[in-house]
Amino acid sequence: MKISFLIHNAYGIGGTITTTFNLAAALTERHDVEIVSVLRHREHPNLTPHPGVRLRALVDLRREKDHPLHRRPAQVFPAAEYRHHQYSELTDERIAECLADTDADVVVGTRPGLNVHLALQAPEHVARVGQEHLTLDNHPPALRTALRRAYRRLDVLTTVTEADADSYRRKMLLPGVRVEALPNSVPDPELPTADGTAKVVVAAGRLVPVKRFDLIIEAFARVVAEYPDWRLRIYGKGEEHDRLRALIESLGLWNNVFLMGAATPMEAEWVKGSIGAAASNFEPFGMTLVEAMRCGLPVVSTDCPYGPGEIIEDGEDGRLVPVGDGAAFGAALLDLVRDDERRRRMGEAAVANARRFAPGPVVAHAERLLQEAIEARNGGRRGAPGRRGMHHTLAGRGHAARDLAHAAASTALRTVRKGRR
């Protein structure tokens, strides 16, 4: 099979880029795989694609950011999509040309706006697979309304959790579109797993408010009060860096909490720790949770929508605590810090339980979905309609009506505000 992934910007850093590169690398062992990056802003990508995966870009911002068409807003890429401001008539044109000329059997879109392009512009003979790397409920009503209209022309829509797949089935009217959960995969570790003896807690991710590294730091202060020889290492970069540095100073934790900057890959850093930590208010999946567990670390995480609850088995391979509850987070960390045997046992369970996110089972699932989408498209059949009874249809219509009303109200409010200026 010839597979083409359509991605926003393969030259940056982020979870969608990582999981796309991982899946493409695994698929290239048996298939012809390319990654098409809509945008490019640097000579080399931050992540190195597999040698067997072709990487090409449609718009090179180093030379074309001042192109006349790039100064005009996109018409196909939905206006309510988070990245709309980075798209233009130029990206509309290049994506349309790319899809029209593709010789791929299946094209995989990796974000809502690109899934819309795929649904509306891919040739009839090409199987269309849209990926959701966030969640349906995270999208504004106007975007959900746009997706309902376009996504009906997809063959398959994948989400990273079963909970989000269920949301799509219940809330969207997508007859004939197959909706399935396809979790992200994490490559098999190359280093020996952690043995649980290091007095180190490790956290990683973008330093942005939703990740709540401030809560981890404040919770870790409870650990330091009893165990001053333990350390917290936070890997990543972002807008919260200076605020987190000030928080560390104000709590007197300069000898215990360290902002380590970005590290790629993270495996060598995970194995130096004994406990992983994640405190997001919202986490569609949780790649760092799986990475830490595959390296032998039990993870203390907030039980936020949707990923952590489907990754961590509370009390077996990690701990789940309420979102925003610093006291509960600190108590969960202390439970693992105090009990060496429990920490070691849960680390072993983490390695075993996280194997379901290894490339093998995830890639096998992806291959099956892609092949069945191609066969259905070639045979003139649509994807399986999924679990939809009359109550699901009525519920979907209700959600559609509410989103449409919210979108209309938002548009009216913006019009009124413009009139007052």
Side-chain angles (χ1 to χ4, degrees), residues 18 20 48 51 53 76 93 109 112 120 127 147 160 172 209 258-259 302 309 322 409 419:
T18 300
T20 300
T48 304
V53 176
V76 179
E93 181 180 278
L120 299 179
L147 299 186
V160 291
M172 301 288 273
F258 304 93
L259 300 179
T302 45

Side-chain angles (χ1 to χ4, degrees), residues 34-199:
E34 69 169 359
I35 296 175
V36 178
S37 180
V38 176
L39 302 177
R40 178 179 185 173
H41 68 290
R42 56 183 298 176
E43 181 67 23
H44 302 290
N46 281 286
L47 301 178
T48 304
H50 186 282
V53 176
R54 294 184 307 283
L55 173 63
R56 61 189 176 98
L58 302 180
V59 175
D60 192 333
L61 297 175
R62 297 172 299 170
R63 298 189 297 270
E64 297 182 293
K65 68 177 181 179
D66 294 323
H67 190 290
L69 290 180
H70 198 54
R71 295 175 179 271
R72 302 176 187 170
Q75 301 300 312
V76 179
F77 195 94
E81 222 267 39
Y82 170 70
R83 295 284 187 184
H84 181 262
H85 65 285
Q86 294 178 265
Y87 285 73
S88 63
E89 287 189 7
L90 182 61
T91 59
D92 280 353
E93 181 180 278
R94 297 281 174 83
I95 295 170
E97 291 172 352
C98 170
L99 291 172
D101 295 339
T102 187
D103 61 350
D105 299 302
V106 57
V107 178
V108 182
T110 57
R111 66 176 304 112
L114 298 181
N115 294 340
V116 169
H117 272 280
L118 176 60
L120 299 179
Q121 297 176 324
E124 284 300 315
H125 66 276
V126 174
R128 309 160 185 186
V129 177
Q131 292 182 340
E132 175 62 88
H133 287 278
L134 292 174
T135 69
L136 178 63
D137 290 344
N138 187 62
H139 299 320
L143 179 57
R144 291 197 293 263
T145 297
L147 299 186
R148 281 189 184 90
R149 294 168 179 160
Y151 275 17
R152 297 181 183 193
R153 300 182 64 178
L154 295 175
D155 296 295
V156 175
L157 177 67
T158 67
T159 63
V160 291
T161 63
E162 289 289 352
D164 197 39
D166 185 60
S167 287
Y168 266 97
R169 296 184 191 111
R170 288 186 296 106
K171 299 178 180 180
M172 301 288 273
L173 296 169
L174 303 175
V177 180
R178 183 173 185 171
V179 180
E180 283 203 27
L182 179 69
N184 296 330
S185 69
V186 172
D188 296 323
E190 297 182 1
L191 300 174
T193 56
D195 61 10
T197 60
K199 297 179 179 182

Side-chain angles (χ1 to χ4, degrees), residues 53-388:
V53 176
R54 294 184 307 283
L55 173 63
R56 61 189 176 98
L58 302 180
V59 175
D60 192 333
L61 297 175
R62 297 172 299 170
R63 298 189 297 270
E64 297 182 293
K65 68 177 181 179
D66 294 323
H67 190 290
L69 290 180
H70 198 54
R71 295 175 179 271
R72 302 176 187 170
Q75 301 300 312
V76 179
F77 195 94
E81 222 267 39
Y82 170 70
R83 295 284 187 184
H84 181 262
H85 65 285
Q86 294 178 265
Y87 285 73
S88 63
E89 287 189 7
L90 182 61
T91 59
D92 280 353
E93 181 180 278
R94 297 281 174 83
I95 295 170
E97 291 172 352
C98 170
L99 291 172
D101 295 339
T102 187
D103 61 350
D105 299 302
V106 57
V107 178
V108 182
T110 57
R111 66 176 304 112
L114 298 181
N115 294 340
V116 169
H117 272 280
L118 176 60
L120 299 179
Q121 297 176 324
E124 284 300 315
H125 66 276
V126 174
R128 309 160 185 186
V129 177
Q131 292 182 340
E132 175 62 88
H133 287 278
L134 292 174
T135 69
L136 178 63
D137 290 344
N138 187 62
H139 299 320
L143 179 57
R144 291 197 293 263
T145 297
L147 299 186
R148 281 189 184 90
R149 294 168 179 160
Y151 275 17
R152 297 181 183 193
R153 300 182 64 178
L154 295 175
D155 296 295
V156 175
L157 177 67
T158 67
T159 63
V160 291
T161 63
E162 289 289 352
D164 197 39
D166 185 60
S167 287
Y168 266 97
R169 296 184 191 111
R170 288 186 296 106
K171 299 178 180 180
M172 301 288 273
L173 296 169
L174 303 175
V177 180
R178 183 173 185 171
V179 180
E180 283 203 27
L182 179 69
N184 296 330
S185 69
V186 172
D188 296 323
E190 297 182 1
L191 300 174
T193 56
D195 61 10
T197 60
K199 297 179 179 182
V200 177
V201 176
V202 181
R206 291 177 298 118
L207 305 185
V208 293
V210 72
K211 298 295 185 180
R212 291 305 309 272
F213 287 105
D214 58 328
L215 187 142
I216 297 176
I217 293 168
E218 290 167 354
F220 191 71
R222 296 166 60 93
V223 174
V224 173
E226 290 189 35
Y227 297 88
D229 53 345
W230 274 73
R231 304 289 183 265
L232 168 62
R233 296 174 183 166
I234 297 174
Y235 292 86
K237 59 183 180 180
E239 64 192 68
E240 289 276 278
H241 180 276
D242 291 347
R243 193 174 79 86
L244 295 176
R245 170 61 61 198
L247 177 61
I248 292 167
E249 296 289 333
S250 69
L251 294 174
L253 296 175
W254 49 81
N255 289 325
N256 298 90
V257 180
F258 304 93
L259 300 179
M260 307 293 292
T264 304
M266 266 295 296
E267 182 183 343
E269 311 310 322
W270 290 122
V271 298
K272 296 173 186 175
S274 291
I275 302 170
S280 296
N281 290 336
F282 166 75
E283 195 67 75
F285 181 68
M287 285 285 285
T288 58
L289 277 65
V290 179
E291 290 175 358
M293 292 169 68
R294 297 216 73 197
C295 289
L297 275 62
V299 179
V300 176
S301 173
T302 45
D303 191 13
C304 62
Y306 286 116
E310 293 191 15
I311 296 171
I312 295 171
E313 186 66 35
D314 188 32
E316 180 179 334
D317 51 26
R319 292 295 311 279
L320 294 171
V321 301
V323 173
D325 192 334
F329 204 99
L333 286 175
L334 276 169
D335 284 345
L336 293 177
V337 168
R338 289 169 180 154
D339 193 333
D340 294 348
E341 176 56 28
R342 187 183 189 200
R343 190 169 67 245
R344 183 195 61 77
R345 186 175 65 250
M346 291 177 71
E348 292 176 352
V351 172
N353 293 347
R355 287 195 183 107
R356 68 191 188 278
F357 301 110
V362 173
V363 171
H365 187 187
E367 281 182 310
R368 176 175 58 80
L369 284 175
L370 297 179
Q371 187 61 51
E372 290 176 359
I374 292 169
E375 292 171 359
R377 173 65 58 170
N378 291 342
R381 307 183 309 276
R382 296 297 307 281
R387 293 169 279 181
R388 176 174 293 279

